[in-house]
Amino acid sequence: TEFMVIDNMPVEINGERNILDVIRKAGIDLPTFCYYSELSVYGACRMCVVEDHWGTIQAACSTPPKAGMEIHTNTPRLRKYRKMILELLLSNHCRDCTTCEKNGKCKLQELAQRFGIKQVRFHNTSEDSELDTSSLCIVRDKSKCILCGDCVRMCNEVQNVGAIDFAFRGSKMCVSTAFDEPLANTKCVGCGQCSVVCPTGAIVVRNDTAKLWKELSDKNTKVIVQIAPAVRVGIGKELGFSEGQNVMGRIVAALRRIGFDEVFDTSTGADFTVLEEAEEFSKRLLTGDNLPLFTSCCPAWVRYAELNYPQLIKNISTCRSPMQMLASILKEHHRNDEKRVVVVAVMPCTAKKQEAARDEFKEDGVPYVDYVITTQELIHLIKEANLIFSEIEPEAVDMPFGTTSGSGVIFGVTGGVTEAVIRRLSDDKSSFALRAIAFTGVRGMQGVKEARIDCNGREVKIAIVSGLKNADDLIRSIQQGEKQYDFVEVMSCPGGCIGGAGQPVTNRDGKYNRGAGLYNADRMSNIKRSEENPIIKELYDGMLKGKVHKLLHVNYRK
Ligand code: HC0
Ligand code: SF4
């Protein structure tokens, strides 16, 4: 084993890319704005500077570890240097912290506090800039940008979109879209991952809660809400529970206290998706047409395909996403209500805001899903309602659409949709077979997974990808004939919906815990397979008769 010395302590080197990772392993939270282990090293912010035993100052993120190296992380020179960087950043930054969407979660704010910045010695040169509110998913404020480039690298390297990049040089340098067009006119797919890595309020998720409060206080409106699978394991950490803990019952209770009239689980919609998608897939396997079948539930992926691979639209499942299926069912059920009915969806996702606004998901101009709020916005609602979340007693969702299956719940983690569909397709309905499916390769946090199963006497080849760069690489290898698949699950966010940009920000371990929380919910659920959910049969025999296509499918018009 090789060692280096950090602040007079020996620390083992174990394949780390740079000394920053070694230092963090030693329990020292060296500050950075621009370092993320999943992105390339940019080395721009200089906050992670360290001193070696000759007194040379270097950035820890871009220095590879060497055996015997002696590093100091907290000398008077380094402290002075860090304060100087922070003051320079603050001197060129809008400082309306109390009214900033990022208040309390801003890295610049946190580090200014950590390093005791009480005054900024430089003249404030920040200029107001117009907000870019053109996207339905995120809002950009250039005056809060610190040029760390995290968003640019995320959009390019992980999502392969490249909607934003650095423009100009020197003091005019900024992050911009091509020709400074509004974001809505670019190839942005609304995944929101740029906002996940943005350390300040320069890119934030659009907040739609104000409109919702209005609806909630309107006596003539019935407000119905559905909760996505990933929300239940993503919300707890900020409200007094551990990361990944399933707090669905408390969310349901909180939503009722806030004033929602009926509360449902998007997993119920997911059960319908499983049935429809499994049937569609079986048909395509028979005819051989439009294979591989790509899943359709991730709206950022659908948008990505429309913009970059229009020829693949016919391969994408015609199934509406679970959110849309459940919303269509709910609106149909309440068709003749006296009151106006609005459907709200609580999602881990920013792109769902855009999906809800698509013309394909409107009837006579009225959307099936009227409002989408993210997990983070739900946290705002709960706090604004002055609820003490940890003291709320859990409650169950409403009937008659209140039954779900474990299959519908695991949708929220990468591989979950596939596993649920395999459960449906598998001829062997024993509990042994059900458990064995978990070991076919569908589970795990890797960005690319493969599985093979037998279905109707033939081998079915499956790929599961999360992160759009991974999806793009896979599509290219299919097009070049290097790979061949029958079924491809795509989720835009690394790890699937649990890592959605609408969730509180977490790290790799956090995503793992959230995934484990969903698998645990499946284990605890007494209905495992979607087709065993009683509401499914009831609705196919009832409301959905002759309306399956109208209510559960979609033809993307592009
Ligand atoms: Fe997902 Fe979904 S699983 S996309 O990640 O399919 O957003 O959680 O709600 O619609 O169910 C998000 C999560 C959903 C949908 C479901 C799917
Ligand atoms: Fe890029 Fe996604 Fe941000 Fe759009 S939302 S700019 S696609 S990272």
Side-chain angles (χ1 to χ4, degrees):
T1 41
E2 295 190 325
F3 289 92
M4 58 182 285
V5 179
I6 295 168
D7 296 338
N8 303 318
M9 296 276 288
V11 183
E12 193 187 333
I13 304 173
N14 194 3
E16 285 83 7
R17 279 198 297 175
N18 49 55
I19 56 180
L20 178 61
D21 282 343
V22 185
I23 291 167
R24 289 200 169 155
K25 198 172 70 179
I28 296 166
D29 176 29
L30 208 59
T32 66
F33 287 115
C34 70
Y35 180 72
Y36 283 91
S37 54
E38 71 271 28
L39 301 178
S40 65
V41 173
Y42 184 47
C45 79
R46 315 299 293 176
M47 282 300 284
C48 69
V49 282
V50 292
E51 241 181 276
D52 65 16
H53 62 290
W54 292 296
T56 314
I57 289 186
Q58 45 201 332
C61 66
S62 41
T63 309
K66 275 198 225 90
M69 215 175 206
E70 275 179 47
I71 290 294
H72 296 274
T73 70
N74 185 25
T75 63
R77 269 173 85 201
L78 294 174
R79 281 201 297 275
K80 205 168 137 195
Y81 195 82
R82 288 194 182 112
K83 281 192 178 183
M84 173 84 91
I85 296 171
L86 287 170
E87 281 184 65
L88 283 168
L89 286 174
L90 286 167
S91 73
N92 184 22
H93 195 90
C94 159
R95 276 180 257 156
D96 297 339
C97 293
T98 46
T99 51
C100 179
E101 186 71 30
K102 215 50 181 280
N103 189 14
K105 288 189 184 148
C106 168
K107 200 76 194 258
L108 182 58
Q109 192 185 42
E110 185 216 320
L111 292 180
Q113 196 180 39
R114 193 195 296 185
F115 291 96
I117 313 286
K118 297 296 168 210
Q119 57 177 29
V120 176
R121 283 167 289 172
F122 312 106
H123 175 65
N124 193 335
T125 56
S126 80
E127 285 167 26
D128 281 352
S129 66
E130 236 176 90
L131 299 183
D132 182 350
T133 55
S134 64
S135 160
L136 296 177
C137 311
I138 53 173
V139 176
R140 295 184 58 225
D141 181 351
K142 280 188 189 168
S143 74
K144 292 175 179 165
C145 176
I146 59 168
L147 299 176
C148 63
D150 296 345
C151 55
V152 172
R153 282 173 292 135
M154 176 56 85
C155 192
N156 275 281
E157 296 170 10
V158 177
Q159 300 300 51
N160 201 48
V161 172
I164 42 180
D165 206 343
F166 285 111
F168 309 114
R169 307 219 150 250
S171 67
K172 289 213 163 24
M173 185 151 136
C174 67
V175 170
S176 178
T177 59
F179 307 112
D180 209 15
E181 280 284 316
L183 203 58
N185 300 353
T186 69
K187 284 193 159 193
C188 170
V189 297
C191 70
Q193 287 296 319
C194 50
S195 73
V196 172
V197 289
C198 177
T200 67
I203 306 183
V204 296
V205 175
R206 192 186 189 92
N207 187 326
D208 293 308
T209 53
K211 291 177 251 169
L212 209 51
W213 282 119
K214 254 197 180 150
E215 299 284 9
L216 287 165
S217 58
D218 179 359
K219 297 237 164 6
N220 298 316
T221 301
K222 183 181 268 179
V223 189
I224 304 179
V225 62
Q226 54 167 306
I227 305 155
V231 175
R232 70 203 64 192
V233 291
I235 202 173
K237 180 84 188 297
E238 282 202 16
L239 297 170
F241 295 85
S242 58
E243 184 66 279
Q245 194 174 335
N246 181 356
V247 291
M248 181 65 174
R250 286 193 166 83
I251 300 174
V252 173
L255 287 167
R256 288 207 183 101
R257 303 269 186 98
I258 289 169
F260 289 91
D261 297 294
E262 292 177 15
V263 187
F264 297 105
D265 187 342
T266 307
S267 306
T268 308
D271 284 331
F272 285 92
T273 305
V274 171
L275 266 86
E276 291 301 315
E277 201 153 314
E279 187 178 316
E280 184 182 24
F281 182 51
S282 301
K283 280 188 191 152
R284 290 198 199 180
L285 276 179
L286 280 179
T287 62
D289 291 339
N290 300 334
L291 290 173
L293 176 119
F294 286 88
T295 57
S296 57
C297 21
C298 172
W301 147 241
V302 171
R303 187 91 193 109
Y304 186 84
E306 286 176 325
L307 291 168
N308 301 288
Y309 295 100
Q311 72 278 21
L312 280 185
I313 300 294
K314 63 182 189 341
N315 289 60
I316 295 182
S317 164
T318 64
C319 291
R320 293 185 185 187
S321 69
M323 173 181 92
Q324 293 293 351
M325 286 203 184
L326 184 58
S328 319
I329 290 169
L330 290 168
K331 283 272 168 89
E332 182 70 18
H333 181 73
H334 288 285
R335 184 167 285 277
N336 300 318
D337 268 31
E338 273 167 30
K339 281 190 183 181
R340 183 175 152 253
V341 170
V342 301
V343 169
V344 178
V346 186
M347 293 282 138
C349 174
T350 54
K352 288 276 173 196
K353 290 177 186 270
Q354 205 166 272
E355 181 186 81
R358 291 187 68 123
D359 285 339
E360 293 90 341
F361 299 122
K362 288 179 181 163
E363 195 183 326
D364 302 330
V366 181
Y368 289 104
V369 177
D370 299 87
Y371 302 94
V372 172
I373 59 163
T374 61
T375 313
Q376 300 210 40
E377 287 165 85
L378 176 57
I379 294 173
H380 281 288
L381 285 187
I382 291 171
K383 290 189 173 163
E384 224 179 318
N386 308 310
L387 296 175
I388 304 175
F389 192 71
S390 56
E391 290 180 14
I392 297 175
E393 294 291 338
E395 293 176 9
V397 294
D398 284 295
M399 292 307 270
F401 308 110
T403 50
T404 60
S405 78
S407 287
V409 175
I410 58 174
F411 260 59
V413 56
T414 167
V417 177
T418 305
E419 185 169 347
V421 171
I422 298 178
R423 285 181 188 179
R424 164 70 180 153
L425 291 174
S426 152
D427 305 322
D428 187 348
K429 299 289 175 194
S430 68
S431 65
F432 179 85
L434 185 114
R435 285 199 199 113
I437 295 170
F439 299 103
T440 51
V442 292
R443 293 196 182 185
M445 283 296 145
Q446 311 91 289
V448 184
K449 298 180 277 190
E450 287 189 343
R452 297 186 172 214
I453 57 153
D454 286 324
C455 178
N456 298 336
R458 72 163 274 196
E459 187 186 56
V460 171
K461 297 194 189 100
I462 297 169
I464 297 157
V465 287
S466 64
L468 289 169
K469 171 75 164 64
N470 290 332
D472 199 275
D473 289 347
L474 189 92
I475 292 168
R476 280 165 196 270
S477 64
I478 294 171
Q479 288 180 336
Q480 280 157 12
E482 291 159 17
K483 297 267 181 182
Q484 192 250 314
Y485 299 103
D486 303 303
F487 185 97
V488 181
E489 174 192 309
V490 185
M491 290 290 175
S492 298
C493 296
C497 292
I498 49 164
Q503 302 263 69
V505 176
T506 189
N507 55 20
R508 194 182 291 253
D509 291 345
K511 284 189 196 174
Y512 178 85
N513 289 339
R514 290 175 184 178
L518 292 183
Y519 288 126
N520 196 34
D522 171 45
R523 257 195 314 280
M524 298 298 288
S525 128
N526 45 14
I527 305 171
K528 297 281 193 282
R529 294 185 178 80
S530 298
E531 69 269 24
E532 289 162 8
N533 182 348
I535 191 69
I536 296 271
K537 191 170 174 349
E538 199 181 312
L539 288 198
Y540 277 115
D541 292 343
M543 175 214 287
L544 288 172
K545 267 230 161 92
K547 290 193 182 151
V548 166
H549 198 84
K550 174 171 178 267
L551 295 176
L552 304 185
H553 288 262
V554 60
N555 279 319
Y556 289 111
R557 298 205 181 120
K558 261 191 162 173

